[in-house]
Amino acid sequence: MSCIKPARRWQPRFYPFKRESFRKRFREKIEIMLKGPLWGCRMCGNCLLQETAFICCMECPKGLRNGPCGGVIPDGHCYVDPTRRCVWHAIYNRARKTGRTDTLIEVLPPLDWSRTGGETWADVISQIGKVGSGKFFGSLFSRDREYRKQVWDSVFMTIRQPAWWNGDREYHPAAYTEPASELERSLREGRFVVATEITPPLSSDTEKLRKAIEEVRPYVQAINFTDASSAIPRMSALACCKVATDLNAEPVFQITARDSTRLSLQGDAIGAGQFGIRNILCITGDSPLVGNPPISDMNIYDLDAVQMLWILRRMRDEGIYLDGRKMKHPPRYFLGAATTPGALDPELQAIRDQKKVNAGAQFFQTNIIFDAEKLDPWLEQLDKRNVLGKVSILAGLAPLKSYKTALYLHEKVPGVYLPDKILNRMEKAGDGAREEGIAIALELIASLKRKKGISGIHLMTLGGEDIIGRIVREAGLDR
């Protein structure tokens, strides 16, 4: 590894879809000869090096182009392959050292697959010609930092932000006034919200699903349905949401980037409204590697969570599809995203989360929290960035059933870490582990209710929906 390329290229380079002219093939050959050894270039044809501290984000095994997933190991390595450093962790650290963290806020576009395998130098040369070569090269020696940035962006931002995307670094508030869902209404009214999560059934039988929904409905404002969590197929989240609306429960439709394309995402978002679904949670999704064999396609994702939010926000607020087509009747929904406060340095995690909020996230569901005090540095960073007032945060909790469950979450689930004191309590509890797990959850709720920026909790019961009512009552959240 060199200081220029701190990670290894995950997969081989792309090649053009069709035969190209000799001139283009020659330029592509020169580009890969230079950029390959220096940056591990995959010839994606959509280069973002200027915005990623000159570390190629395509070295990420998921191909994420707007920041890391929530599975970064504490030592900064990738959970998909722990022998590799998380490339986005390296990007953030270099950007901080060079004073360029502001560039990481920009919402970057997905690949235009018609350009993969091709070179980008011709576009750069052409844009420099339009700006003026004298002006561009002269700006490199200017002492005026703002002027250098302005000229630099006039070349490179034009290339990396095509007209069909128009990403930026700005916050875009929702363009509607009335709440899109009952969950949003509760959050706007300042209520301390309780949401929960029900795992979809393995079979087509919905009897157990209906029973679970009816059991938790009186105690929660919303029910989240996972989308092939841990890369294991189950009944679709969309179907479960439809069952919930039929039972007058408020569903949260979870969509993972792993199993979505830009086409399916837009179609599903439009269709969800026809079932009365008004809450959509956009997440990147676990790598197929954590699922059961045979392992599905591990190539890069078509979208990441930030791009999903950007597309859905523009559909709702601007009434346009990604390809620019207008729609007469835009969909209405409340957009959410997931976050893992303990995965990165708090400052870097706040940058990642600010980008999600700018892209369109209106509420966050955090990964499972077992140490409420560790949220404080992250919340402080969000507050410094003026993010807390723009997003509602639901802290994730999971009442532990046993010491074995605690160890599994700590050792196997990306982004979940249990303090030694919690592990010790669960180990000593023995046969009373379930009661000890409930006691820990109640202690965490009491602590979270006092924290600025926390709007509620998201209870993940791991199949134990029967304890929701008890926890809500004993925590005093049923009043």
Side-chain angles (χ1 to χ4, degrees), residues 130-173:
K130 293 176 183 178
V131 172
S133 57
K135 180 179 178 180
F136 176 77
F137 290 108
S139 71
L140 300 178
F141 302 97
S142 173
R143 295 182 179 179
D144 187 337
R145 186 175 178 179
E146 284 301 315
Y147 176 69
R148 289 201 310 270
K149 180 178 180 299
Q150 179 184 358
V151 176
W152 186 273
D153 281 349
S154 68
V155 173
F156 292 103
M157 190 170 187
T158 305
I159 295 171
R160 70 176 176 268
Q161 293 290 356
W164 52 264
W165 188 254
N166 285 330
D168 56 35
R169 302 171 189 172
E170 306 302 319
Y171 168 60
H172 299 273

Side-chain angles (χ1 to χ4, degrees), residues 401-408 422-424 426-428 433:
K401 298 178 181 179
S402 65
Y403 177 60
K404 182 178 179 181
T405 301
L407 273 182
Y408 177 83
I422 299 294
L423 290 172
N424 291 337
M426 292 302 297
E427 185 177 19
K428 292 177 181 177

Side-chain angles (χ1 to χ4, degrees), residues 71-368:
V72 182
I73 298 173
D75 63 4
H77 282 68
C78 173
Y79 85 94
V80 179
D81 180 359
T83 68
R84 304 172 188 266
R85 289 176 62 188
C86 169
V87 69
W88 273 103
H89 194 269
I91 289 170
Y92 277 146
N93 284 328
R94 182 180 292 177
R96 182 161 58 181
K97 289 177 182 177
T98 56
R100 287 176 53 84
T101 55
D102 60 310
T103 64
L104 302 179
I105 301 298
E106 186 176 322
V107 178
L108 299 170
L111 289 177
D112 177 351
W113 288 93
S114 68
R115 298 177 58 87
T116 53
E119 47 83 29
T120 56
W121 288 358
D123 292 336
V124 173
I125 294 170
S126 173
Q127 190 61 27
I128 289 175
K130 293 176 183 178
V131 172
S133 57
K135 180 179 178 180
F136 176 77
F137 290 108
S139 71
L140 300 178
F141 302 97
S142 173
R143 295 182 179 179
D144 187 337
R145 186 175 178 179
E146 284 301 315
Y147 176 69
R148 289 201 310 270
K149 180 178 180 299
Q150 179 184 358
V151 176
W152 186 273
D153 281 349
S154 68
V155 173
F156 292 103
M157 190 170 187
T158 305
I159 295 171
R160 70 176 176 268
Q161 293 290 356
W164 52 264
W165 188 254
N166 285 330
D168 56 35
R169 302 171 189 172
E170 306 302 319
Y171 168 60
H172 299 273
Y176 60 88
T177 54
E178 286 298 311
S181 70
E182 290 305 309
L183 173 61
E184 182 177 13
R185 187 182 303 279
S186 295
L187 289 167
R188 286 195 188 186
E189 291 173 353
R191 298 177 60 185
F192 192 83
V193 164
V194 180
T196 191
E197 185 171 285
I198 295 179
T199 302
L202 286 169
S203 71
S204 59
D205 185 7
T206 62
E207 182 179 352
K208 186 177 178 181
L209 174 66
R210 290 173 180 274
K211 182 180 178 181
I213 292 171
E214 290 176 336
E215 190 165 27
V216 303
R217 184 183 59 192
Y219 305 103
V220 302
Q221 280 73 51
I223 304 172
N224 192 84
F225 296 97
T226 57
D227 184 13
S229 178
S230 300
I232 296 175
R234 293 174 176 269
M235 182 179 290
S236 74
L238 184 61
C240 293
C241 287
K242 176 61 168 63
V243 173
T245 57
D246 289 344
L247 295 172
N248 296 317
E250 174 95 344
V252 177
F253 178 27
Q254 185 184 108
I255 309 179
T256 60
R258 177 198 59 227
D259 304 317
S260 299
T261 66
R262 61 200 73 183
L263 300 181
S264 67
L265 171 70
Q266 295 171 90
D268 286 346
I270 292 286
Q274 304 308 306
F275 297 140
I277 301 166
R278 295 287 182 259
N279 305 294
I280 298 180
L281 184 76
C282 299
I283 64 172
T284 299
D286 299 316
S287 166
L289 195 62
V290 305
N292 298 326
I295 302 302
S296 62
D297 184 9
M298 289 182 61
N299 202 352
I300 66 171
Y301 297 179
D302 191 36
L303 299 170
D304 59 40
V306 174
Q307 292 160 349
M308 294 167 75
L309 290 163
W310 184 263
I311 291 170
L312 296 183
R313 180 193 60 78
R314 295 189 73 195
M315 289 175 64
R316 181 194 66 198
D317 295 347
E318 301 174 34
I320 58 172
Y321 286 100
L322 180 59
D323 59 15
R325 287 176 299 136
K326 296 279 186 179
M327 61 181 85
K328 289 184 179 180
H329 305 288
R332 290 192 63 199
Y333 36 65
F334 187 43
L335 285 174
T339 181
T340 309
L344 293 171
D345 174 282
E347 180 186 0
L348 302 185
Q349 185 64 43
I351 291 172
R352 166 71 164 158
D353 292 332
Q354 182 181 3
K355 179 182 278 198
K356 288 183 178 180
V357 172
N358 286 356
Q362 298 165 276
F363 71 97
F364 279 146
Q365 290 180 352
T366 78
N367 210 334
I368 304 173

